[in-house]
Amino acid sequence: MMRGKFCALLLVFVGQVLAVEAILPPKGGEDVIVFSRKGKFRLNQKAGEAQSKWVAIERMPFEKAHQVELVQSPKAAKDLQLILPLERSFKRGDSVLVSFWVRRPKSSGEPGPVTLYVQAGAGKKRFEFRFSPFRQWEQHVRSFEAQSDFEAGKGNVSIHMGAAGPMIEVADLRVVNYGKKVKIADLPRSRVTYPGREKDAAWRKEALARIEKIRKAELVVKVVDGNGKPMPNAEVKVAMKRHAFRFGNTVNAHLLGAEEKNFPYTKKRNGEEHVTTWEEAQQYREVVRKYFNAVTFESQFRPHVWKGMSRGERGRKNYEILMESAIPWLQKHEIGIRGHYLSWGAMDFNAIEKEYVGNPDGHRKWLWEHMADVLSKTDGVVTEWDTINHIVAWGKHTYEKEYGGLEILAEIMTEARRLAPETTHAINEGKILPDGYKREPYKRVIRFLNEQGQAPDTVGFMAHFGLTSLTPPEELLEVYDDFAKIAPRLQLSEFDVEAGDDEELQADYYRDVMLASFSHPSFDAIVQWGFWENAHWKPHAALWRKDWSLKPAGEVFVNLVTKQWWTEESMVTNVRGESQVRGFLGDYEVAVVIGGKTVRKEVSLGREGSNVLVKWAE
């Protein structure tokens, strides 16, 4: 068996070590492209969106990288391509290895998707590899069996990078042909793992024990006859109906509320069109109804979108779908609604707020008017708001800089609470769990709000994990403990796991984040940021594929929430007329069956436990 040669290289990321090795393509192959200063590659773009150059790189297995920096954002990912012509041909059935390194050194937000194609020509099958580059260097190594003949001068390698901005670097790109003498299974493949993944990890056993202790309570059912005497041997069925813990997800109002005549529905994401049919929308609604007890509208409550729904026929129609269809549908199914968001801690990322840079008085006036408008129209509908989203923020024009201090954050919380006193007011920030470089700044803001008497009701962690930011579960638990000292209620507010095409890694890490978070006593919610590939901002992070088949991570989710963390029991009363079960906290239906007749009762099981008395009368 041919094996790849490995270069001993350990990459360290923000206090954690990931098992990532540099892989050298095995000997015996033939390179079919040239990626160097002397190569014939080109940057293909529509309107001068980017500029590129070679840059020196230190302390890596390569010395140079090709850097592409955006001047302006392309309309679509395909509008900016790095294209390398094939210098040598290969044949259908040949085994071909692709290897390259990539990073986004100026990344401040979440990664947009990038796709590498090896193309034979129009109408011929091509190899496609979709990935999301991150701040740190990462190597991707994949192999494929050619489905067509690839001719030199006609075929090419093309990297669509229009969604990667503001900067992306590619290094050591190789495409190596091994012909038919080597099997794909015998070629190396890049893999990432994380500490704590092993099946017998001690932290996981401890987490499962905590879940048993803090997420369950005793439910005692006593059955008596009309005279109050215990009835032994009565059949008792206990069926859970709803979790007390919030398992939520982000949703699209159109897919939930629009009528059949408004489909097919097309939405652009990262320059690509995603079309949803009426039949797919029905499946979308069924998944929401069946698996989630809380939702966050992905965009409808964002200030610029909310304002847009007050203008024009299209805006008014979107408002109608949201307020008169989607929200009533959620209320009908008793699904809680989170508002995302009232304010964003910087003025750099919202067209409305950009107008107020250098004008804090004007900004305050606009923000106060916006909060009064949206909170009055959603009173009694939205039970929790991301009152200050990205409260630490990034960019040149954070609220703290524009207003000259943190006081504005406390003032926003004060005003939001005055307008919506029955609503839970949360703050939200990213790069706390993955990457981790905002942990101390986030704690600084929380402590300030606590001191001002405006402590957030809930502290949210945006939890967008990627290949180079799979924080070990034990570290997550340490971070949770640390924040719980100053913020008693925590939640994952935007959870997803993007692991490229490694579905096994995605499933394992998804499972472990769920276990760690559900096992922590300060957590009351895990809200995900998408579930269906066709409506997900990062398709590889989805739980359901476009055809609605479950990915391994989706199987983990369904198994945890509807089986492992779900209680359904059938019992028989003892001589005292009692039956007892330790169940997960939530709402239940208790059914007592005697002689073919059934008496039902609804009951809520809280942490203190619950006793249910059923009086049986003939």
Side-chain angles (χ1 to χ4, degrees):
M1 177 182 291
M2 176 180 287
R3 298 183 182 275
K5 181 180 179 181
F6 294 86
C7 173
L9 173 70
L10 200 62
L11 301 182
V12 181
F13 303 117
V14 195
Q16 64 188 13
V17 177
L18 300 183
V20 181
E21 294 177 309
I23 301 171
L24 299 180
K27 294 180 180 180
E30 178 183 57
D31 284 89
V32 301
I33 64 168
V34 176
F35 186 54
S36 68
R37 291 180 182 272
K38 297 180 181 180
K40 298 178 181 179
F41 67 90
R42 71 183 189 275
L43 192 65
N44 189 32
Q45 50 188 319
K46 282 195 171 183
E49 294 93 346
Q51 54 191 16
S52 65
K53 61 182 178 181
W54 286 92
V55 295
I57 302 296
E58 297 179 351
R59 296 187 296 276
M60 291 300 291
F62 45 86
E63 297 179 350
K64 300 286 184 181
H66 193 69
Q67 181 186 93
V68 179
E69 185 170 12
L70 268 66
V71 177
Q72 60 183 10
S73 297
K75 292 183 179 180
K78 64 182 179 180
D79 290 343
L80 180 61
Q81 302 179 27
L82 185 66
I83 299 177
L84 297 88
L86 295 183
E87 301 288 341
R88 294 181 176 84
S89 302
F90 53 93
K91 299 293 184 179
R92 180 178 179 180
D94 285 356
S95 295
V96 182
L97 178 142
V98 179
S99 174
F100 63 98
W101 290 81
V102 65
R103 71 171 178 176
R104 296 169 67 228
K106 291 188 176 181
S107 171
S108 58
E110 300 300 334
V114 177
T115 308
L116 180 146
Y117 299 97
V118 183
Q119 305 177 118
K124 296 184 178 181
K125 292 185 178 180
R126 62 187 181 184
F127 169 73
E128 175 182 339
F129 177 55
R130 190 180 178 99
F131 59 96
S132 294
F134 294 84
R135 184 187 294 265
Q136 298 87 5
W137 282 110
E138 55 187 341
Q139 184 186 22
H140 295 288
V141 180
R142 294 293 185 272
S143 300
F144 67 97
E145 180 181 311
Q147 300 299 305
S148 307
D149 289 342
F150 287 69
E151 296 183 37
K154 293 184 179 180
N156 64 58
V157 175
S158 176
I159 304 177
H160 293 196
M161 53 179 59
M167 179 182 287
I168 181 172
E169 293 177 349
V170 181
D172 200 22
L173 172 58
R174 296 181 65 185
V175 179
V176 185
N177 177 30
Y178 290 92
K180 297 178 177 62
K181 60 186 178 182
V182 178
K183 296 180 180 179
I184 297 296
D186 294 335
L187 290 172
R189 176 186 173 98
S190 56
R191 296 187 182 279
V192 174
T193 190
Y194 57 92
R197 187 182 183 184
E198 45 287 348
K199 290 183 179 180
D200 59 349
W203 78 265
R204 194 179 298 113
K205 295 177 182 178
E206 294 167 0
L208 290 170
R210 282 196 305 276
I211 288 171
E212 187 70 21
K213 180 179 180 180
I214 70 173
R215 300 298 178 192
K216 300 177 83 172
E218 301 298 329
L219 175 59
V220 179
V221 181
K222 184 170 185 177
V223 183
V224 298
D225 62 18
N227 297 316
K229 294 183 179 179
M231 299 185 69
N233 301 315
E235 183 182 0
V236 177
K237 297 181 180 180
V238 174
M240 194 173 186
K241 297 299 181 183
R242 181 183 176 89
H243 278 285
F245 192 90
R246 287 178 295 158
F247 293 103
N249 216 311
T250 184
V251 293
N252 178 288
H254 195 101
L255 300 188
L256 281 187
E259 299 175 354
E260 184 174 2
K261 65 182 180 181
N262 299 120
F263 289 88
Y265 169 71
T266 301
K267 185 176 178 63
K268 281 191 174 182
R269 292 178 181 273
N270 298 309
E272 297 181 5
E273 289 189 347
H274 297 264
V275 180
T276 301
T277 66
W278 172 246
E279 291 73 23
E280 289 171 330
Q282 298 308 297
Q283 181 67 33
Y284 184 93
R285 297 173 194 189
E286 177 60 17
V287 168
V288 172
R289 183 199 65 79
K290 187 174 181 179
Y291 294 109
F292 304 109
N293 57 15
V295 300
T296 302
F297 285 108
E298 185 176 18
S299 61
Q300 280 78 14
F301 286 135
R302 300 185 183 198
H304 61 290
V305 179
W306 178 261
K307 182 179 180 180
M309 289 192 293
S310 65
R311 296 194 300 254
E313 182 178 349
R314 181 178 178 181
R316 289 190 292 272
K317 181 62 178 178
N318 289 337
Y319 183 84
E320 179 183 313
I321 290 172
L322 171 68
M323 301 299 289
E324 298 179 18
S325 297
I327 287 176
W329 185 90
L330 291 166
Q331 292 174 320
K332 174 185 176 181
H333 295 289
E334 299 181 331
I335 298 173
I337 300 173
R338 298 182 72 252
H340 179 78
Y341 51 87
L342 288 179
S343 65
W344 181 310
M347 299 182 192
D348 303 78
F349 308 99
N350 184 315
I352 299 175
E353 292 187 271
K354 284 181 179 179
E355 299 177 5
Y356 295 105
V357 169
N359 180 13
D361 291 338
H363 179 263
R364 182 197 299 269
K365 182 177 183 297
W366 164 79
L367 181 54
W368 260 236
E369 290 174 352
H370 167 67
M371 287 195 294
D373 179 43
V374 70
L375 289 175
S376 65
K377 292 177 180 175
T378 60
D379 185 37
V381 172
V382 176
T383 57
E384 179 176 80
W385 276 97
D386 284 327
T387 300
I388 310 179
N389 189 52
H390 278 298
I391 194 169
V392 175
W394 69 88
K396 297 180 181 179
H397 305 290
T398 66
Y399 285 4
E400 181 179 2
K401 292 178 182 177
E402 289 292 309
Y403 283 88
L406 291 175
E407 288 75 15
I408 182 60
L409 304 179
E411 292 168 10
I412 293 171
M413 295 293 286
T414 301
E415 179 65 6
R417 284 183 165 131
R418 184 187 72 82
L419 293 167
E422 302 301 320
T423 301
T424 298
H425 293 276
I427 61 173
N428 201 24
E429 190 50 88
K431 304 299 182 182
I432 311 299
L433 305 180
D435 298 322
Y437 62 84
K438 285 189 178 180
R439 292 174 188 173
E440 292 306 318
Y442 202 21
K443 285 189 284 186
R444 167 179 169 258
V445 171
I446 294 168
R447 290 190 182 100
F448 175 82
L449 291 175
N450 291 350
E451 293 166 0
Q452 298 298 308
Q454 288 299 326
D457 298 317
T458 300
V459 167
F461 300 123
M462 299 178 194
H464 300 299
F465 295 97
L467 277 175
T468 59
S469 60
L470 301 180
T471 308
E474 285 185 282
E475 183 179 335
L476 292 180
L477 288 165
E478 291 173 0
V479 174
Y480 297 165
D481 285 343
D482 199 21
F483 273 85
K485 297 173 184 176
I486 57 175
R489 289 178 60 185
L490 308 174
Q491 68 174 243
L492 299 187
S493 53
E494 302 180 19
F495 172 46
D496 52 41
V497 179
E498 203 279 341
D501 61 349
D502 193 338
E503 293 186 349
E504 182 182 355
L505 174 65
Q506 181 199 15
D508 285 355
Y509 192 71
Y510 179 94
R511 173 203 64 208
D512 286 344
V513 175
M514 290 284 286
L515 285 172
S517 303
F518 193 55
S519 79
H520 198 279
S522 292
F523 268 74
D524 64 7
I526 296 174
V527 181
Q528 301 177 69
W529 210 248
F531 58 92
W532 182 40
E533 184 179 15
N534 201 45
H536 204 296
W537 75 303
K538 292 195 293 185
H540 274 139
L543 303 182
W544 278 264
R545 300 184 182 91
K546 187 181 185 305
D547 64 1
W548 288 108
S549 60
L550 269 175
K551 295 176 63 177
E555 294 174 359
V556 167
F557 168 73
V558 171
N559 183 51
L560 287 176
V561 176
T562 69
K563 295 178 182 179
Q564 291 190 38
W565 298 342
W566 193 259
T567 304
E568 281 197 21
E569 295 284 349
S570 293
M571 305 165 287
V572 176
T573 55
N574 58 23
V575 294
R576 298 187 301 276
E578 295 179 347
S579 61
Q580 183 172 342
V581 63
R582 185 166 177 81
F584 283 95
L585 308 183
D587 297 333
Y588 285 80
E589 180 185 80
V590 174
V592 176
V593 183
I594 301 177
K597 295 182 179 181
T598 303
V599 174
R600 304 178 190 277
K601 271 200 170 187
E602 304 291 329
V603 60
S604 290
L605 179 60
R607 291 188 177 182
E608 69 286 353
S610 183
N611 293 284
V612 182
L613 179 64
V614 178
K615 290 185 178 181
W616 188 267
E618 293 292 342

